[in-house]
Amino acid sequence: MKNKRTELKVSAIRNGTVIDHIPSEVVYQVFGILNLDQTNSQVYLGTNLDSKKLGKKGIIKISDKFFKDEEISKIALVAPNATLIEINDYDVTKKGNVHLPENVDKIVKCINPKCVTNNQNVPTSFKVTEDHKGNMKLFCKYCEKTMAKDNIEFN
Amino acid sequence: MINLKGRSLVSITDYSKEEILRILDIAEEFEDNQRQNILNGYVIGSLFFEPSTRTRLSFESAVQYLGGSIIGFASPDVSSVTKGESLKDTILTVSNYSDLIVMRNPLDGSARYASEVSPVPILNAGDGANQHPTQCLLDLYSIRKTQGTLDNIHIAMVGDLKYGRTVHSLVQALSLFGATFHFVSPDSLKMPSSVKTWVKNANLEYHQYTDFMDVMPIADILYMTRIQGERFPDPLEYEKVKNAYILENSMLENTKDNLKVLHPLPRVNELNEDVDDNPKAYYFQQAKNGVYVRQALIAAILGLK
């Protein structure tokens, strides 16, 4: 007798990128910040999948798309433990964790309405830091305000 | 040899402990000999996009005691800002006409941005609620002058510790010298956690109080602040706390002999006028020290000291 299948199989992609180990609660946010609602490529999105590491996880597979450093920084800001896998002709050609950069430039909006970056034509620039509890924070190079992860809004 | 030539001053943390001490030493020289004609032929740009009495006039006074010239505006109403000119364009224009720019601007971070686009050094005279480093240096000068040292003093900071930029910078600077901090404020105006983290990271102590009198016997410096109505998002909140701490002369009776009362000024009602004649009142001398410190900064940044 055949073994009963215990997991959902999602089609493999020929060329493109798999973003794995996304916490389920941010999978739609990752989808949004990468503007995947506007792509013409095939996109598979899975959420609440079983994961040994996270309990529940999300996964996004995008055909014919390879992300630039700036886009990988965005993923790292909302899903710092995600894995990025690049596929070429069905083979994994690159696999690794996303990394938080030391600085986040241009892509995030400063939370302070009086910051010069919200009032003049000045691109934002943040230093990635941690508070004493180890929570990731962004420190605005200009207004010197510190912003928590929950307040991150992308430009 | 410490050389500050060409260096902008945007935030007090831009300068090391040694650089801060160097500025204070030069300021001391100017206190002994204020009129020195070393700025002859130099032009200082002074851009005040926001009102100021002490900071603007003491910068102007500093330049004139040094024999330099000053150009600029005391209010944006008389500049091309009213025509919608960007900060970048204003800075690039004025940098063509001057050797150094002193700027106050209501936008947080405007001074850092100006220092990035300007070919001449920028001296931040206050960027919104963010930094006011020349105030911080004159506070340090006043503390050293009255206590003989900056090391290990007990400083009580009173009033608006949440929005008051001068107290935030002063905590950062005094952390280099091993102070003990006593923070007195209403619950709604407590010192922000980012500033307290700064103290912790420097392995120093801070204590928080709501009762003013608790700190009177222990403080070397009583740093009073104005509760700034203009920084409150909610006017009702301001009404609740505006009279929280008012210092009266009689309250200084059981204080240390070396205690001095400092205030960045302007005051509203938090310092009763009967304190003014007490020898422990130091705030007008403190404002005077601002001229020496600003002379020192201009001279050091232009490479003349």
Side-chain angles (χ1 to χ4, degrees):
Chain A
M1 192 180 132
K2 269 186 168 178
N3 283 341
K4 198 173 176 192
R5 276 173 66 168
T6 55
E7 58 184 276
L8 177 72
K9 292 287 182 199
V10 178
S11 310
I13 53 174
R14 181 171 187 170
N15 292 303
T17 306
V18 177
I19 311 166
D20 200 358
H21 301 115
I22 308 169
S24 281
E25 61 274 18
V26 297
V27 69
Y28 290 104
Q29 197 182 354
V30 173
F31 189 87
I33 59 179
L34 296 173
N35 296 323
L36 295 179
D37 51 339
Q38 287 162 31
T39 179
N40 293 323
S41 307
Q42 289 181 352
V43 180
Y44 301 96
L45 182 148
T47 186
N48 294 324
L49 307 175
D50 291 330
S51 160
K52 281 182 195 148
K53 212 159 107 182
L54 300 172
K56 296 282 179 192
K57 70 168 183 180
I59 190 166
I60 299 174
K61 298 185 178 190
I62 312 107
S63 286
D64 303 316
K65 171 82 184 169
F66 299 94
F67 292 106
K68 297 185 203 107
D69 287 351
E70 200 178 86
E71 292 167 308
I72 296 170
S73 297
K74 284 186 178 178
I75 301 169
L77 285 172
V78 293
N81 298 313
T83 312
L84 212 65
I85 305 155
E86 289 187 2
I87 315 270
N88 276 294
D89 205 14
Y90 297 111
D91 286 333
V92 171
T93 47
K94 201 169 158 192
K95 182 172 181 175
N97 290 331
V98 295
H99 287 290
L100 271 176
E102 281 181 22
N103 294 295
V104 175
D105 294 335
K106 298 177 190 165
I107 56 176
V108 173
K109 208 169 141 42
C110 184
I111 191 179
N112 173 9
K114 282 194 64 200
C115 180
V116 69
T117 59
N118 286 320
N119 294 276
Q120 298 270 326
N121 185 20
V122 184
T124 60
S125 180
F126 299 88
K127 199 172 163 216
V128 180
T129 61
E130 280 186 355
D131 67 9
H132 60 283
K133 290 178 192 156
N135 298 318
M136 193 268 293
K137 301 267 181 181
L138 294 182
F139 177 80
C140 174
K141 170 175 128 183
Y142 293 102
C143 75
E144 306 188 15
K145 295 274 179 297
T146 303
M147 188 160 76
K149 192 179 161 205
D150 291 348
N151 293 321
I152 290 177
E153 203 182 304
F154 291 95
N155 273 327
Chain B
M1 182 65 190
I2 290 160
N3 185 356
L4 292 166
K5 185 176 179 184
R7 285 262 304 273
S8 290
L9 174 61
V10 172
S11 169
I12 191 65
T13 52
D14 293 350
Y15 280 12
S16 67
K17 182 177 175 178
E18 291 69 31
E19 287 165 343
I20 289 173
L21 288 171
R22 175 73 188 132
I23 292 295
L24 303 190
D25 289 345
I26 302 172
E28 219 161 58
E29 275 180 44
F30 283 118
E31 182 169 3
D32 292 341
N33 179 15
Q34 189 167 33
R35 292 159 216 269
Q36 299 186 31
N37 208 26
I38 55 175
L39 271 192
N40 193 10
Y42 285 87
V43 177
I44 307 299
S46 167
L47 309 183
F48 278 73
F49 295 85
E50 224 187 14
S52 157
T53 304
R54 263 154 301 277
T55 307
R56 184 173 63 81
L57 294 181
S58 68
F59 263 118
E60 289 185 7
S61 162
V63 171
Q64 292 182 17
Y65 277 124
L66 295 175
S69 306
I70 195 153
I71 58 164
F73 50 82
S75 143
D77 308 347
V78 294
S79 74
S80 285
V81 175
T82 53
K83 301 175 193 161
E85 184 170 61
S86 70
L87 177 59
K88 180 182 175 183
D89 289 3
T90 306
I91 293 291
L92 288 177
T93 304
V94 177
S95 68
N96 286 328
Y97 311 146
S98 54
D99 300 293
L100 179 157
I101 294 175
V102 175
M103 181 180 84
R104 167 167 292 189
N105 189 290
L107 293 175
D108 302 346
S110 51
R112 179 71 62 201
Y113 176 60
S115 75
E116 288 176 351
V117 297
S118 173
V120 302
I122 298 286
L123 251 172
N124 182 8
D127 61 323
N130 184 31
Q131 287 277 341
H132 191 4
T134 62
Q135 176 70 46
C136 185
L137 285 166
L138 79 88
D139 292 341
L140 293 173
Y141 186 83
S142 301
I143 293 168
R144 190 172 79 162
K145 179 99 188 151
T146 59
Q147 305 300 314
T149 178
L150 283 172
D151 297 329
N152 305 315
I153 60 148
H154 281 260
I155 181 162
M157 297 175 163
V158 183
D160 174 7
L161 305 186
K162 185 177 177 183
Y163 299 107
R165 61 187 173 189
T166 59
V167 287
H168 302 165
S169 308
L170 193 53
V171 169
Q172 291 180 321
L174 280 174
S175 291
L176 299 170
F177 299 92
T180 304
F181 298 96
H182 305 274
F183 299 143
V184 187
S185 70
D187 277 340
S188 59
L189 293 177
K190 274 182 156 173
M191 195 60 97
S193 61
S194 57
V195 179
K196 290 189 281 198
T197 302
W198 191 283
V199 177
K200 271 193 215 156
N201 289 344
N203 288 321
L204 298 174
E205 272 178 48
Y206 68 83
H207 306 276
Q208 299 190 94
Y209 311 77
T210 48
D211 186 349
F212 202 1
M213 293 311 286
D214 288 349
V215 297
M216 289 298 176
I218 43 181
D220 300 311
I221 293 288
L222 186 60
Y223 195 95
M224 298 292 297
T225 63
R226 177 170 64 97
I227 297 192
Q228 303 173 82
E230 68 271 26
R231 306 259 182 244
F232 277 76
D234 179 357
L236 272 178
E237 272 303 306
Y238 172 62
E239 287 302 315
K240 273 192 221 162
V241 297
K242 68 176 188 187
N243 296 322
Y245 301 104
I246 296 175
L247 183 68
E248 291 169 6
N249 194 32
S250 59
M251 294 160 74
L252 292 172
E253 259 170 35
N254 295 312
T255 55
K256 286 183 177 174
D257 292 342
N258 62 311
L259 174 90
K260 288 287 183 253
V261 180
L262 268 58
H263 190 303
L265 302 178
R267 66 173 155 188
V268 185
N269 62 348
E270 62 279 0
L271 282 176
N272 203 322
E273 285 195 18
D274 70 358
V275 181
D276 297 356
D277 297 328
N278 191 313
K280 291 177 178 174
Y282 193 74
Y283 30 89
F284 289 113
Q285 179 65 42
Q286 180 190 358
K288 184 174 183 182
N289 293 340
V291 182
Y292 311 134
V293 165
R294 291 176 175 120
Q295 283 183 277
L297 279 166
I298 292 166
I301 292 172
L302 291 176
L304 304 169
K305 283 280 178 186

